[in-house]
């Protein structure tokens, strides 16, 4: 994973990449707030700042694509897709059927394109 992480630029030395990435994984896996991140991952603000920077720069997306490409080339990925056909039904009281207080009135609204509202 080390080659997928951007290298540090000039300036102050930054926290160890491995420790910070482990902090990101811990946060995502457990769902704790950033401020509750254990101290072994370094200052929470450093982990958050780097996580945000990586997300905005697309580092996670590029890393996932490269890892998937390597795994696919090695034949480690089975691209089988399964679709769930579960049906979810609403309770009769959730539908606006006009019975016992349900509203059946409909409004007549005209939809105009957002390209040029003056034409409508």
């Amino acid at each position: 994973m080390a080659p997928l992480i951007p290298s540090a630029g000039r300036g102050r030395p930054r926290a160890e990449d491995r420790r910070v990435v482990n902090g990101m994984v811990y946060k995502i896996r457990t769902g704790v707030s950033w401020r509750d991140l254990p101290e072994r991952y370094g200052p929470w603000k450093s982990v958050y700042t780097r996580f945000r920077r990586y997300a905005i720069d697309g580092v996670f997306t590029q890393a996932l694509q490269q890892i998937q490409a390597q795994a696919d080339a090695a034949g480690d990925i089975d691209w089988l897709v399964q679709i769930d056909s579960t049906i979810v039904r609403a309770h009769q009281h959730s539908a606006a059927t006009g019975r016992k207080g349900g509203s059946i009135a409909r409004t007549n609204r005209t939809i105009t394109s957002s390209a040029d509202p003056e034409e409508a």
Side-chain angles (χ1 to χ4, degrees), residues 42-119:
W44 70 267
K45 209 165 197 175
S46 298
V47 179
Y48 168 75
T49 302
R50 192 139 9 136
F51 177 82
R52 190 165 188 277
R53 188 179 322 129
Y54 286 177
I56 290 171
D57 293 344
V59 172
F60 297 126
T61 305
Q62 291 173 0
L64 177 65
Q65 290 171 350
Q66 289 180 12
I67 291 169
Q68 282 180 339
Q70 291 171 1
D72 192 28
D76 293 336
I77 295 181
D78 183 15
W79 292 102
L80 177 67
V81 177
Q82 296 181 354
I83 299 173
D84 184 12
S85 62
T86 304
I87 297 174
V88 177
R89 297 177 191 255
H91 191 270
Q92 64 185 3
H93 295 125
S94 66
T97 60
R99 291 188 227 143
K100 296 189 179 184
S103 173
I104 58 170
R106 301 204 181 255
T107 58
N108 187 8
R109 296 184 180 155
T110 306
I111 299 174
T112 59
S113 64
S114 60
D116 190 10
E118 297 294 324
E119 291 180 4

